[in-house]
Amino acid sequence: MKFKHAVLRLSMIIAVFFAQKTEAFGQTSAKYQIKGVVADSVTKTPLPMVTVRLRKANQEIIQIMVTREDGSFKFPAVMAASYSLSVEAIGYALKTIPVDSLAFKMQTINLQRIYPGDKTVGLKEVAITGSRPVIRRKADRIIYDLKADPESKNNNVLTMMRKIPYLSVDGDDNLLMKGNSSFKVLINGKPSSLEGNLKAVLKSIPASTIERIEVITTPPSKYDAEGLAGIINIITSKKINDGFNGSVNINESFPVGGPGIGGAFTAKSGRFGMSAFGGGSIHHSPKTFNTNKRVDAIGTTLDQEGNQRSTNKTAYFGTALSYLLDTLNLLTAQLNYNGSRVNDHATKASDLSGLSGLLQQYGFENEHKATGYGIDAGINYEMGFKAMKNRLLTFSYLFNTNLNDRNGSIAFSNRFNFTTPDFVQTDHQRFKEHTVQVDFVTPVKKLNIEAGLKGIWRKNTSDFDYSSLNTAMGQYETDPALSNSFSNTQNVFSAYNSFQLNLNSWNINAGVRLEGTVIRAGFSSTASLADQNYFNVIPAVAIGKGFKNGSNINFGFSQRIRRPGINRLNPYVDRSNPNYEVTGNPDLRPVLLNDIQFGYGSNKKLSVNIGLDYSFMNNLDLQVVNFNSATQITRITYANTGKSRSAGGNFNLSYPVTSSYNASLNGNAMYLWLSGQDNGQAVNNDLLMYAVSLSNVLRLRYGWALNADMGLNSRTPTGLQGYTNGFFYTAFNFNKNIIRDKFSIGGGIKNPFSKYRNSVNTTFGPKFSQVYESRNYFRSFNISLNYNFGGLKERINKNRMGIQNNDLAR
């Protein structure tokens, strides 16, 4: 190795010497070649499909290509000048190799082997420096590198979602993708029980423990078709080496929020590797006040005033294990857990008045408790082939279960013309799922072919009980008319075939997925509901094109499905507010969406990522609100009554104003045409929706970094007949590296100019209108400590195929 490096050094010295002697001859019009091989620094294995860019001295990209199967690349017809060569491989740091103009006196500049992740390649004349782009675009997805964003050190994952293209967070901290709440969430490319408690878990996870987030806008056919907007894949671990590393984050926020801790750990020893993440938090929501006013067509008015407070305790844990049996056989396993415990306390005073005066009055106190947990466990066996190492056959099994218990105790007071007794209502909700899958992938020259079979056996159950107080007996008695047991089974069988073709700067992904679904449902006290059987053919196409200047475009078409989950199917009726009933609909049918999108990206000094999107769907399952003027009860449920179309765009701009100051702008805008029926009457709810977030990062000397963020969200629909108001937010944070790349401290304040935010929810129908207003804490303070530890040598092994259950709506 030393002899080889000595020869390379001597070659470069000779090249420089002859370049100096021949420069006067003015042969600048001659054209040359730059070539090399990209390989792993440890295994020396060539790396195919790695993006290599050639830039001028002013950072303008003039050529771009992808390495061949043997890891080689070659830029032909290059003019003599000073260049930089950047190498970008997934799982490795971006590397830049300066190429001096003097070297071009040789007809071919051979950079030999380039090892991403290393600091040098052994040549003093070729120094390698590294930088990490925050955003990368592929034909079917956007990749956001949290480790490259300094704000990740003192924010949770949900807060960081505001900065990611196609994503936004509404006023109730619900995550949206392209303005839609229907999407699937994967953890390290696999389904996880964490999705069942998504908002609370994302608030609990420190962003510093996450590697990157992938927003898959055109999911390939290997993924299930569920999730109308697409898939969000949260990567908690990276490819690692022999040894171990990890990070720990301790944080506190107040007056809203509380203490939290999170961490991630990765280790590898020989053939065995593991990664794990976990943590927990306590989230306090102090007492705030709310009002509710409903007016019907004949002048009857319901006025309610109250207050509420809550505490949510959340814990989560996930691990992935791998064992390399030999060079062709790999065994992996996963285990994830999350749990939560919620205590809510609410009081309310209610007055119902008509044209003649007071009709009804009461007050009530609601003590509500909810507990839940989710567990998933899976195993995968991957088999390679001696004849072709990239040919893989994978067998996978996954078990997933969720449990949610709700218990509400309602006590009334100050009664006038109101006879409903005190009551207790409970709901025991269960979900179990077994998945078996077989995947096969094989390359055929420049074509990569994938195929697979999958079966899902899923069961949802709900046992609910309503017990009212018998004042004469002094005890609660079950009301059989309001108690029941519900069971729903969904069996989904699917097959897929997809193709990936890479032709120099073109990347084409196309495939089709066949899905057959068998649904059975029923109550213990009545006959079964109507069975549902349906079959879908789901196409997906994503085409990407890279240009010599480093920009790229992509086009995608896909169909997506939303099958109703237990939260929408469950017929349990929440009667905690006597004038309102909230329930599911066990007769819901799935929804099919057609989506067309176009994207443009450029990672020059000004980083630009723009996307355009148009989608449409019929038979949409929407939240509908029906008002009964005779009983003065508003019933909130779901129904397949809607049609919608949407057209919009997403954008993300980032610009280094100076060497220490960077500004980025992330946003989306969409116009939604929404129509349906309420009690046979047409209802329209057309809205212009938008969300914009501006982030400013200032890096100072001695490890200091300052952040200033602000954003604006428009009103968003709450179903066929409602919408919430918009809001403006600000946040200011700091981060200080105490020990470089090891220990840091951060903190900040959110919304320093507004202590409270008035959240307004407007609902309307042919016979009524309603406004619910809640005054919530908006200003909060936070502080966090982050510590990184460990060191590594070899990369961990992971399955390249496996189970991704994306077929169920939350």
Side-chain angles (χ1 to χ4, degrees):
M1 182 63 70
K2 291 182 178 180
F3 175 78
K4 180 180 178 181
H5 286 176
V7 172
L8 290 173
R9 291 192 186 97
L10 180 59
S11 299
M12 292 298 294
I13 292 171
I14 295 173
V16 172
F17 174 80
F18 280 103
Q20 292 173 339
K21 295 298 182 181
T22 59
E23 185 175 7
F25 288 95
Q27 298 174 358
T28 56
S29 61
K31 295 185 178 181
Y32 305 89
Q33 295 181 349
I34 300 177
K35 68 178 184 179
V37 176
V38 180
D40 184 273
S41 62
V42 177
T43 65
K44 312 303 180 186
T45 303
L47 298 177
M49 302 306 299
V50 173
T51 303
V52 184
R53 294 180 174 90
L54 187 65
R55 304 172 188 261
K56 290 183 179 180
N58 62 0
Q59 296 302 303
E60 177 186 351
I61 298 177
I62 60 171
Q63 291 190 43
I64 183 171
M65 63 176 51
V66 176
T67 59
R68 301 181 181 88
E69 191 67 29
D70 60 358
S72 65
F73 66 90
K74 181 171 65 175
F75 290 102
V78 178
M79 304 296 293
S82 293
Y83 297 100
S84 63
L85 194 84
S86 64
V87 179
E88 183 177 355
I90 297 177
Y92 299 87
L94 177 69
K95 298 299 179 182
T96 302
I97 305 173
V99 181
D100 193 274
S101 60
L102 298 179
F104 280 89
K105 303 314 174 184
M106 301 172 60
Q107 191 64 34
T108 299
I109 306 302
N110 190 351
L111 298 178
Q112 303 294 333
R113 291 207 163 207
I114 301 172
Y115 300 122
D118 291 353
K119 295 182 179 179
T120 65
V121 295
L123 293 178
K124 293 183 179 179
E125 291 79 10
V126 183
I128 298 180
T129 59
S131 62
R132 298 180 68 164
V134 176
I135 297 175
R136 289 180 289 138
R137 176 183 286 274
K138 290 188 174 183
D140 59 357
R141 70 193 65 190
I142 285 283
I143 303 172
Y144 193 93
D145 188 348
L146 284 179
K147 291 296 186 183
D149 191 330
E151 286 193 74
S152 66
K153 293 183 179 180
N154 54 297
N155 279 312
N156 60 45
V157 173
L158 185 64
T159 299
M160 294 299 297
M161 293 291 190
R162 299 182 189 273
K163 301 183 64 178
I164 300 176
Y166 297 100
L167 303 185
S168 60
V169 180
D170 69 12
D172 294 321
D173 287 339
N174 296 307
L175 182 62
L176 304 176
M177 180 176 176
K178 296 192 289 187
N180 198 320
S181 61
S182 175
F183 53 85
K184 296 303 297 181
V185 177
L186 305 179
I187 305 295
N188 296 322
K190 296 179 174 63
S192 171
S193 59
L194 301 180
E195 188 181 11
N197 192 24
L198 185 62
K199 183 182 359 181
V201 171
L202 292 183
K203 284 183 177 181
S204 298
I205 300 178
S208 61
T209 64
I210 303 298
E211 286 292 323
R212 63 186 183 274
I213 294 176
E214 299 179 345
V215 183
I216 308 175
T217 56
T218 309
S221 296
K222 70 177 181 179
Y223 294 101
D224 292 315
E226 177 57 46
L228 296 182
I231 297 172
I232 299 174
N233 186 20
I234 300 175
I235 308 297
T236 65
S237 60
K238 61 181 178 181
K239 297 178 180 179
I240 70 160
N241 308 321
D242 261 353
F244 68 93
N245 73 358
S247 64
V248 177
N249 181 283
I250 301 174
N251 56 82
E252 169 74 31
S253 59
F254 58 91
V256 178
I261 184 172
F265 178 78
T266 312
K268 184 175 183 295
S269 177
R271 296 183 177 184
F272 177 77
M274 71 161 292
S275 63
F277 69 102
S281 68
I282 301 175
H283 190 275
H284 299 289
S285 296
K287 180 188 289 187
T288 55
F289 298 90
N290 59 74
T291 62
N292 182 46
K293 186 173 184 177
R294 185 189 66 200
V295 180
D296 66 16
I298 60 176
T300 304
T301 302
L302 176 68
D303 282 304
Q304 294 183 329
E305 295 183 356
N307 61 71
Q308 71 277 330
R309 66 176 187 271
S310 67
T311 299
N312 187 351
K313 300 178 180 179
T314 303
Y316 62 94
F317 171 77
T319 185
L321 308 173
S322 72
Y323 184 73
L324 188 63
L325 301 174
D326 53 43
T327 57
L328 297 177
N329 296 278
L330 175 64
L331 189 65
T332 65
Q334 71 178 78
L335 175 66
N336 294 290
Y337 167 86
N338 79 92
S340 67
R341 185 182 300 273
V342 180
N343 291 301
D344 292 330
H345 176 84
T347 62
K348 200 174 290 291
S350 179
D351 293 333
L352 181 67
S353 59
L355 299 177
S356 60
L358 185 65
L359 301 177
Q360 186 187 75
Q361 185 181 70
Y362 62 87
F364 70 85
E365 186 172 356
N366 180 5
E367 291 287 349
H368 177 260
K369 297 181 179 180
T371 58
Y373 71 82
I375 297 175
D376 64 86
I379 187 169
N380 308 277
Y381 170 64
E382 180 181 278
M383 180 174 63
F385 296 84
K386 290 184 178 180
M388 187 176 295
K389 290 188 177 181
N390 288 329
R391 178 177 295 163
L392 301 170
L393 179 63
T394 306
F395 301 89
S396 305
Y397 169 76
L398 179 70
F399 171 74
N400 196 340
T401 183
N402 282 279
L403 176 149
N404 290 284
D405 287 343
R406 292 181 284 180
N407 187 307
S409 177
I410 314 297
F412 295 102
S413 60
N414 301 324
R415 300 168 181 264
F416 172 72
N417 198 23
F418 182 79
T419 59
T420 300
D422 297 352
F423 64 88
V424 174
Q425 55 182 5
T426 60
D427 178 37
H428 303 282
Q429 184 176 292
R430 302 290 187 275
F431 167 84
K432 289 185 178 180
E433 179 182 83
H434 299 270
T435 303
V436 177
Q437 182 170 328
V438 179
D439 298 282
F440 177 72
V441 57
T442 183
V444 180
K445 295 184 178 180
K446 295 184 177 182
L447 185 67
N448 203 55
I449 303 174
E450 295 181 354
L453 300 172
K454 184 174 184 179
I456 303 175
W457 293 264
R458 178 181 294 133
K459 184 174 183 180
N460 301 293
T461 62
S462 174
D463 299 318
F464 47 95
D465 179 86
Y466 182 95
S467 300
S468 58
L469 179 63
N470 186 326
T471 54
M473 301 290 294
Q475 62 183 22
Y476 286 89
E477 297 179 345
T478 298
D479 186 343
L482 302 179
S483 306
N484 213 329
S485 296
F486 170 72
S487 175
N488 170 278
T489 60
Q490 294 184 8
N491 297 330
V492 183
F493 306 98
S494 58
Y496 75 89
N497 193 198
S498 64
F499 304 87
Q500 297 87 42
L501 180 63
N502 296 285
L503 298 172
N504 295 324
S505 59
W506 286 91
N507 182 269
I508 302 172
N509 298 336
V512 64
R513 187 177 186 90
L514 310 179
E515 292 190 348
T517 306
V518 180
I519 297 179
R520 302 290 182 266
F523 295 94
S524 61
S525 59
T526 60
S528 296
L529 299 170
D531 296 335
Q532 297 183 26
N533 302 315
Y534 46 91
F535 179 80
N536 298 99
V537 179
I538 309 296
V541 178
I543 302 173
K545 163 68 175 174
F547 297 96
K548 292 181 179 180
N549 63 358
S551 62
N552 57 82
I553 59 173
N554 63 77
F555 167 82
F557 170 78
S558 64
Q559 287 187 338
R560 307 292 296 165
I561 292 177
R562 176 166 67 194
R563 294 185 182 90
I566 186 61
N567 291 337
R568 292 177 177 238
L569 294 169
N570 193 353
Y572 163 76
V573 181
D574 183 354
R575 297 181 172 86
S576 56
N577 187 334
N579 288 99
Y580 293 86
E581 294 180 350
V582 182
T583 184
N585 180 359
D587 292 318
L588 284 179
R589 295 186 63 83
V591 180
L592 182 67
L593 173 139
N594 296 275
D595 185 66
I596 303 171
Q597 51 190 303
F598 172 82
Y600 168 81
S602 175
N603 282 326
K604 297 183 180 180
K605 185 174 183 181
L606 172 64
S607 175
V608 178
N609 286 277
I610 299 174
L612 300 176
D613 186 273
Y614 177 78
S615 63
F616 59 94
M617 59 189 123
N618 298 318
N619 202 37
L620 182 59
D621 56 338
L622 292 170
Q623 179 179 285
V624 294
V625 182
N626 300 314
F627 171 67
N628 189 324
S629 58
T631 62
Q632 288 294 312
I633 292 177
T634 299
R635 188 175 180 87
I636 304 169
T637 186
Y638 297 91
N640 292 107
T641 183
K643 295 182 179 181
S644 77
R645 294 177 293 120
S646 66
N650 299 268
F651 59 89
N652 185 284
L653 309 175
S654 181
Y655 185 75
V657 181
T658 68
S659 59
S660 59
Y661 170 47
N662 188 84
S664 62
L665 184 68
N666 184 58
N668 62 78
M670 178 180 70
Y671 196 87
L672 174 68
W673 294 269
L674 185 61
S675 62
Q677 290 190 341
D678 175 29
N679 289 327
Q681 298 189 37
V683 176
N684 293 298
N685 190 11
D686 300 342
L687 287 174
L688 174 63
M689 304 163 52
Y690 55 86
V692 182
S693 175
L694 174 64
S695 176
N696 301 272
V697 179
L698 181 63
R699 294 179 177 87
L700 304 176
R701 298 176 61 187
Y702 309 114
W704 284 94
L706 304 178
N707 308 95
D709 300 339
M710 61 185 67
L712 178 65
N713 282 47
S714 70
R715 61 181 185 176
T716 57
T718 56
L720 177 62
Q721 301 155 260
Y723 56 86
T724 61
N725 64 324
F727 63 96
F728 175 79
Y729 68 89
T730 57
F732 301 90
N733 298 286
F734 75 90
N735 188 79
K736 173 68 171 74
N737 276 322
I738 308 299
I739 303 175
R740 185 177 180 181
D741 297 329
K742 288 291 184 181
F743 179 66
S744 64
I745 182 172
I749 178 173
K750 296 180 180 178
N751 305 297
F753 312 111
S754 303
K755 184 176 182 179
Y756 299 100
R757 171 182 176 258
N758 289 331
S759 176
V760 182
N761 191 323
T762 303
T763 309
F764 57 88
K767 299 180 180 180
F768 77 101
S769 63
Q770 173 184 303
V771 176
Y772 175 83
E773 185 171 345
S774 177
R775 191 185 193 196
N776 302 323
Y777 275 93
F778 205 38
R779 181 189 302 155
S780 65
F781 302 84
N782 67 281
I783 188 169
S784 65
L785 302 176
N786 195 76
Y787 178 68
N788 301 315
F789 58 90
L792 302 158
K793 295 180 181 179
E794 272 187 5
R795 296 189 293 125
I796 201 169
N797 299 289
K798 290 186 178 182
N799 289 104
R800 282 177 270 181
M801 303 294 291
I803 290 176
Q804 297 110 2
N805 279 4
N806 332 304
D807 68 301
L808 194 65
R810 290 178 288 117

